[in-house]
Amino acid sequence: MMQDDTLSRKIADIHAQIRGHVGDIGRIGIALYHADSGQLSTFVHSSDGQSPLERYQVPLAEVPSLRRLHEDGRSRIIDDLASLAGSPSEHTRRILAAGYRSSYTCPLYAQGELLGFLFFDSRQPGHFRNDVTLRLDSYAGLISSLVSHALSATRALRSAMALARELGRHRDEETAGHLDRVAHYTRSIAMALPERLGHSDEDVEFLFQFAGLHDIGKIAIPDHILQKPGKLDADEYEIAKSHVQKGSEMIGTMMREFGLANERYAGLLHDVIACHHERWDGGGYPRGLVGEAIPLAGRIVAVADVFDALTNPRPYKRAWTLDEGMAYLRDNSGGQFDPQCVAAAERCFDDWRRIHARFHPLDAA
């Protein structure tokens, strides 16, 4: 049996230790901060019931209490959450509705940069006395190290890919913007999909981290094919399609070099690279997989990738408007694309408009 080495499992184990040593801590939650967008998003949690917060994100600027914690570098105790009844904060309303009555919140840092926030919640008012928070601080340090370690290897991998991308920038000026947009579109779809499909907040975060690497194999495609202004002939198309296999091989090598070969999320990264050109109807490549035989990560990135390719200019085509791009997804739902992924894309289309504007500000359709 494969060992569950996810961060969520490790946090659950720590939660069990805390409840044995500290007492009534009903929930541990971690929200990550994304500096590029200014957003906080739920990441991992361990709760004594159903989590009140999943697939939730909010700009840090709209949570002044947390922004102040970051600015001051201090932790916060709320002895009676009932005193915040009527708060406009959705986070606070959900925590109260779940029955939690006191909280202890710590900002998390990595190399001086804000990583996110750690939340301890109890069902007992006034639970976070000095002796309790002193014991929790040691656990907070451990949790911070685990989160930082889980993200650092993937970020190092992304940095290496960014360097490779920059070295090839003059071959394809659109690459950097395309990869950024695809990563953000991917996260939107993953968050909008029904929870029964099984993507946790932890899965969504790593899918976001990896989505921008989907076309890394294009580094190995010759210039005369990559930059050809017209339609590729049959032989050229076969060479272009080989970027999927080349990308899988490159990532396999780099995963080993970065010590990630045995990580659970190695499989997620492989699915992104190897399956983003598969089609729901079986007409894709390289394996011709059909329907749910295509890993979900590949089905999500396929939608994000095609939408962005359509809505940005190429040497051989004009940029479609965002509405035209969405219409294409809709028309090809159930053929080229997973219908549930297209439906999720439609639900977050307003978010996609903002993403397009942020990463392509001079041409926001």
Side-chain angles (χ1 to χ4, degrees), residues 58-120:
V58 63
L60 179 58
E62 295 181 9
V63 193
S65 60
L66 293 182
R67 190 177 69 244
R68 285 193 295 272
L69 292 187
H70 164 48
E71 292 169 351
D72 297 340
R74 301 176 62 181
S75 299
R76 178 193 68 189
I77 297 171
I78 299 179
D79 283 324
D80 188 358
L81 287 167
S83 66
L84 301 179
S87 167
S89 166
E90 183 177 356
H91 167 269
T92 301
R93 292 198 303 271
R94 291 193 191 185
I95 293 296
L96 274 169
Y100 297 108
R101 289 297 175 261
S102 58
S103 72
Y104 180 50
T105 304
C106 310
L108 302 178
Y109 296 93
Q111 297 179 335
E113 300 294 326
L114 179 64
L115 188 63
F117 294 89
L118 171 62
F119 304 91
F120 297 102

Side-chain angles (χ1 to χ4, degrees), residues 23 55 58 96 110 135 156 178 240 243 257 289 329 340 349 362:
R55 300 190 184 190
V58 63
L96 274 169
R135 281 178 282 177
H178 171 64
H243 79 275
E257 291 295 323
L289 299 175
L329 297 184
Q340 292 190 94
F349 191 36
L362 297 180

Side-chain angles (χ1 to χ4, degrees), residues 32 34 37 39-43 53-59 94 183-208 296 300 340-341 343-345 347-348 351-352 355:
L32 289 186
H34 298 276
S37 62
Q39 294 276 339
L40 280 175
S41 59
T42 50
F43 181 38
L53 284 168
E54 288 188 284
R55 300 190 184 190
Y56 175 73
Q57 61 179 354
V58 63
R94 291 193 191 185
H184 283 81
Y185 293 151
T186 293
R187 180 164 62 185
S188 289
I189 295 173
M191 292 182 69
L193 282 170
E195 292 185 18
R196 62 182 173 77
L197 291 179
H199 263 155
S200 67
D201 285 336
E202 186 179 357
D203 294 324
V204 171
E205 176 60 28
F206 282 99
L207 183 55
F208 168 69
L296 180 58
I300 292 172
Q340 292 190 94
C341 291
R347 287 194 291 273
C348 55
D351 186 39
W352 282 23
I355 291 167

